[in-house]
Amino acid sequence: MNNGLKLLTLCLALVVSGILSLATGATWIAPGQILAALFDPAALNLTHQLLVDTRLTRTLMAMAVGASLAVAGALMQALTRNPLASPGLFGVNAGATFAIILGATLLGLTSPSQWLWCAFIGAALAGGLVWVIGNRGQGSLSPLRIVLAGAAMTALFSAFSQALLVVNQEGLDTVLFWLAGSLSERDLALAAPLLACVVLGLLGALLLAGQVNVLNAGEAIASGLGQRTGLIRLLMSALIIALAGSAVALAGSIGFIGLLVPHMVRRGLSIDHRWLLPGCALVGAIVLLLADTLARVVILPQEVPVGVMTALFGAPFFIALARRGGRYA
């Protein structure tokens, strides 16, 4: 099967996963009723209200977050030339968590929309600091300095977060859902600007895919072909921060998607980023949709945070990958 047919198959799988997400919950909705209910806004149509107000928003969020994390992970692995790299290396999770705690504890912010933007600003700030530190010294971005700077920023923001929570323990309740990762109780209208950022980030990544391929061939080859390697790395870093920051702001800390999905797509589709990145977007969306769907029903009537589900299934895959020496496929 050629790559085009594989992408088409993934598109169909995404549609099926989306329908399953809309149908699944404490109340099962037959797939045949979903389309009719979506376009029947009668006041007494409870199925329409359930779909539009809850499940449709949750499904779109899962698609956007899963695609963002997977594409950001593929770019991060290319940027650092480290197959075990993930978007969290830029410190976005720790930065977002710290910003939420800071806003809730010192600024008294209580609105979910305010937390959303706090998380995005914190993630962007942490990512920007990591890029600046990683770009200092030799005049070009160093993969090793990126890893070290990311670890340092993560430790720093985590320490600040813990200090604030010690001072004000009530703030812990505010960030528990963010620390675990969740797609529930999100307002699509409030999240629309970040969803637009996700779409622009994904389009930017696709446009940059050819340059990423050249950069992966080596610094000397890329420079010999006239590529502005510094600019390409800057654009890759900006896309990683935008995609990962938006994902963390929308859903909290969700691990393993950005690490594992690029390896799955390389094995099943291609190492060429012109195919790899759209494949990552589709598989990331599918994986998070399925994880969230399972999280809703595994302990009914309660829900498991989707971040717990991705960690549960992602940890064994990561261990196997590490035992293989971190090879791409």
Side-chain angles (χ1 to χ4, degrees), residues 176-197:
L176 274 179
F177 76 99
W178 222 278
L179 295 174
S182 175
L183 292 164
S184 62
E185 299 180 6
R186 299 295 192 266
D187 190 314
L188 190 60
L190 295 176
L194 288 180
L195 292 176
C197 183

Side-chain angles (χ1 to χ4, degrees), residues 24-253:
T24 305
T27 301
W28 170 261
I29 301 174
Q33 299 176 356
I34 291 176
L35 191 61
L38 283 174
F39 293 97
D40 181 14
L44 298 179
N45 189 341
L46 299 181
T47 302
H48 172 83
Q49 299 299 326
L50 175 62
L51 284 172
V52 173
D53 295 341
T54 304
R55 294 189 188 174
L56 181 61
T57 297
R58 191 162 180 166
T59 298
L60 294 176
M61 290 282 189
M63 290 180 179
V65 171
S68 296
L69 291 174
V71 171
L75 291 175
M76 192 69 194
Q77 290 168 9
L79 180 68
T80 62
R81 298 183 184 176
N82 179 1
L84 297 180
S86 68
L89 278 182
F90 261 123
V92 292
N93 291 344
T97 302
F98 169 70
I100 293 172
I101 296 173
L102 181 67
T105 302
L106 298 184
L107 304 180
L109 302 182
T110 57
S111 167
S113 63
Q114 294 171 329
W115 295 341
L116 197 75
W117 287 108
C118 276
F120 182 76
I121 292 170
L125 175 62
L129 288 173
V130 170
W131 186 88
V132 169
I133 295 171
N135 202 46
R136 290 180 62 86
Q138 300 174 358
S140 63
L141 187 143
S142 164
L144 177 59
R145 287 201 303 272
I146 278 285
V147 173
L148 294 176
M153 286 297 105
T154 297
L156 181 66
F157 281 118
S158 296
F160 286 161
S161 299
Q162 292 170 6
L164 287 175
L165 289 176
V166 168
V167 174
N168 181 11
Q169 295 185 5
E170 294 179 0
L172 182 61
D173 295 334
T174 302
V175 297
L176 274 179
F177 76 99
W178 222 278
L179 295 174
S182 175
L183 292 164
S184 62
E185 299 180 6
R186 299 295 192 266
D187 190 314
L188 190 60
L190 295 176
L194 288 180
L195 292 176
C197 183
V198 167
V199 173
L200 292 176
L202 293 175
L203 290 175
L206 295 179
L207 292 175
L208 200 63
Q211 284 73 25
V212 176
N213 282 338
V214 176
L215 189 64
N216 270 358
E219 184 81 21
I221 294 176
S223 299
L225 292 174
Q227 296 291 329
R228 300 174 62 183
T229 57
L231 177 60
I232 294 173
R233 288 195 175 96
L234 173 61
L235 292 175
M236 290 173 67
S237 300
L239 289 171
I240 293 167
I241 293 170
L243 289 171
S246 298
V248 172
L250 289 169
S253 181

